[in-house]
Amino acid sequence: MKNFYLPLLCCLATINSLAQRNFVPGAVAVPQRDSLKGFIDFRNWTSTPNEIRFKSTENGEITTYTPNQISGFALHSDGDVVYVTKHVLLDVTPYIVSSTQSVTQPQTELLDSTVFIQQLVAGAYNLYTYTDRHQRIHFMYNAPGGDILELKYIKTMVPSPDGGKIYEKKEYREQLTSLFKDEGKIARQARGVDYRDEDLIALFVAYQHAKAPGTEVLVKTKKKQPIYFGIVAGPAFNSYNWKGGEQYMLHGKYSSSVNPIAGVFVDIPLGGATRQWSMYNELLYKTYSTHASMDINALLAGDIATFKFSYLQLNVMAQYIYPKGVVKPFVHVGMGNAIIVKTTTNDYFDASRPEHREAFAEPRKLEQLLVGGIGVRADRFQLEVRGSTSTGWIDIMSASMPVNSLQIIAGVRF
């Protein structure tokens, strides 16, 4: 056990160190001063940050800024992403769209505060976006120098005989139709525009071009749909359960084992306002090790079978994460496929001779698994308890030896 936990701790310490290297080129706008150029700690925010960390040089001291201290900031990696400081009044009541939830209206929750908002278009009218702590996405606009106004959109459940239906109130379309009423074509487009940044950006840009052909419209680079990469590692508690084939020479009670499991993952959030669902894929390296005495069969007393295999495993899972709170619970459900990449031990000791020979001539090379787990995520760190059951490596008609595994997996995303 000591030999296992030492490399695991070293692995986690290494990925924790790497996780801190997240500063990208940027600048902050300080009132009554020139912009400060340097590096901003960008953390692939799924909700708009309420503070940022800044340093003027790569090795400089870190300063934390809130919206009340600066006029905004810009990230210069992969195009400009600009956030400005504005006072907003937003309805941040969480969406209720799951039919498994009670069809009741949540208590209205308002955000009346000075915050960072991302600027998407600067022109005759400015377009902004803000993602609240429930991962609900909001769009806002103003005339240059004017108050920020929310483009209102509500999605919830309403009672119905079959349990509930999704209701959408698209008041933003009426707002935009009125806003662009002096340009008939643009106003007509506004009546059917979707509540998505690409569509709204195109509408605001079209209006600017209609009002002032040839003028430049400043369109800020939209932050791309985040794709998260990370590293995971932890112990796997494996049990090997022989089934059937009582007369077969490998029939026995196999020992359990604790083996390391480690690898990389990619987390791809799916579309939607809350980003609660994602495709979560892992590439893992793992080992199995077990042995059994054949004493169950008196004719084989003293014989011992020993196996140790190394696998490369690909998991494809659906992930649901509850969006509220600093510590967010999540669930994984999916399937895996693992292939043997190394056979360390495949040995049968025949005590009657005595001699060693190959225990199983043709182990199943491809193992198939059902995988599920529950865990929690806090910022960039996650911890999960996961279970899996697999086909194992015994591939004969009369017997099988599925492998059941309970894993405790820690991870860090970049």
Side-chain angles (χ1 to χ4, degrees):
M1 291 293 289
K2 181 172 68 175
N3 292 335
F4 165 66
Y5 282 111
L6 180 59
L8 174 59
L9 291 173
C10 292
C11 177
L12 291 177
T14 299
I15 58 180
N16 178 50
S17 174
L18 291 173
Q20 304 306 314
R21 302 173 186 175
N22 197 45
F23 283 85
V24 301
V28 298
V30 181
Q32 287 82 49
R33 293 177 57 185
D34 293 334
S35 295
L36 302 178
K37 295 182 179 180
F39 301 87
I40 294 173
D41 190 6
F42 176 52
R43 292 183 170 267
N44 286 324
W45 302 300
T46 55
S47 58
T48 303
N50 53 24
E51 64 179 28
I52 61 164
R53 299 200 304 164
F54 172 84
K55 57 184 181 180
S56 56
T57 63
E58 291 187 0
N59 298 319
E61 293 185 3
I62 296 174
T63 302
T64 300
Y65 290 109
T66 67
N68 292 319
Q69 295 174 298
I70 59 177
S71 303
F73 65 93
L75 302 167
H76 298 322
S77 61
D78 195 22
D80 280 350
V81 177
V82 174
Y83 288 81
V84 295
T85 298
K86 297 289 184 182
H87 185 273
V88 299
L89 177 61
L90 301 176
D91 180 355
V92 295
T93 308
Y95 291 141
I96 295 181
V97 296
S98 172
S99 59
T100 62
Q101 293 178 277
S102 175
V103 184
T104 58
Q105 295 300 320
Q107 184 175 356
T108 300
E109 183 179 345
L110 297 177
L111 175 65
D112 186 358
S113 182
T114 298
V115 298
F116 295 130
I117 57 176
Q118 185 183 346
Q119 185 168 16
L120 300 178
V121 176
Y125 291 106
N126 303 314
L127 178 65
Y128 308 92
T129 185
Y130 176 85
T131 305
D132 65 32
R133 65 188 184 91
H134 304 300
Q135 278 72 62
R136 176 179 169 182
I137 298 174
H138 305 261
F139 294 101
M140 299 145 284
Y141 73 95
N142 73 340
D147 293 335
I148 300 292
L149 299 175
E150 181 179 12
L151 292 170
K152 297 179 181 179
Y153 171 67
I154 295 174
K155 180 191 292 186
T156 189
M157 293 290 296
V158 295
S160 71
D162 56 358
K165 293 184 177 180
I166 295 176
Y167 167 75
E168 293 180 282
K169 185 177 181 181
K170 302 178 180 180
E171 187 177 338
Y172 70 93
R173 290 180 174 175
E174 299 175 10
Q175 293 175 270
L176 292 173
T177 301
S178 177
L179 184 66
F180 300 140
K181 62 184 179 181
D182 55 334
E183 290 292 336
K185 181 180 178 181
I186 308 300
R188 287 190 295 273
Q189 292 174 351
R191 295 171 190 160
V193 70
D194 288 330
Y195 202 72
R196 298 187 305 184
D197 45 11
E198 295 92 342
D199 296 341
L200 293 172
I201 287 172
L203 193 69
F204 275 71
V205 170
Y207 180 79
Q208 174 69 17
H209 287 160
K211 295 299 293 182
T215 60
E216 182 179 356
V217 184
L218 185 58
V219 180
K220 301 298 182 181
T221 303
K222 171 188 172 290
K223 186 180 72 174
K224 296 179 179 178
Q225 178 77 353
I227 298 178
Y228 303 101
F229 298 90
I231 301 178
V232 291
F237 303 87
N238 302 313
S239 61
Y240 312 87
N241 307 299
W242 183 274
K243 295 184 178 181
E246 285 78 5
Q247 303 306 315
Y248 192 67
M249 61 175 290
L250 292 179
H251 177 221
K253 185 176 182 181
Y254 284 82
S255 63
S256 299
S257 65
V258 181
N259 302 101
I261 186 168
V264 296
F265 71 80
V266 55
D267 184 4
I268 307 173
L270 302 179
T274 60
R275 295 176 184 160
Q276 293 169 276
W277 292 94
S278 65
M279 290 298 298
Y280 184 93
N281 304 316
E282 290 176 329
L283 185 63
L284 303 172
Y285 178 82
K286 69 177 185 181
T287 59
Y288 289 156
S289 58
T290 186
H291 66 276
S293 171
M294 303 296 105
D295 292 345
I296 292 177
N297 186 332
L299 297 176
L300 302 177
D303 291 7
I304 299 174
T306 306
F307 298 100
K308 186 173 182 179
F309 300 104
S310 299
Y311 287 83
L312 200 59
Q313 178 175 322
L314 176 65
N315 289 337
V316 178
M317 296 183 287
Q319 176 179 263
Y320 174 83
I321 184 165
Y322 188 69
K324 295 183 179 181
V326 176
V327 178
K328 300 178 175 65
F330 64 82
V331 178
H332 284 155
V333 178
M335 301 182 66
N337 287 279
I339 187 170
I340 294 177
V341 294
K342 183 179 181 181
T343 300
T344 303
T345 307
N346 181 6
D347 179 76
Y348 188 91
F349 173 68
D350 188 336
S352 64
R353 295 192 182 265
E355 67 177 14
H356 291 270
R357 62 176 181 269
E358 188 177 56
F360 191 67
E362 296 182 0
R364 178 188 283 115
K365 298 295 184 181
L366 181 64
E367 176 191 41
Q368 296 177 311
L369 307 95
L370 294 176
V371 184
I374 58 174
V376 292
R377 182 191 304 166
D379 193 19
R380 298 160 64 82
F381 299 89
Q382 61 191 51
L383 184 65
E384 179 183 1
V385 177
R386 183 184 298 175
S388 69
T389 184
S390 76
T391 54
W393 63 88
I394 299 297
D395 187 16
I396 56 179
M397 291 292 293
S398 60
S400 63
M401 192 162 68
V403 181
N404 296 321
S405 181
L406 177 66
Q407 302 152 14
I408 301 175
I409 300 177
V412 178
R413 59 184 52 214
F414 302 114

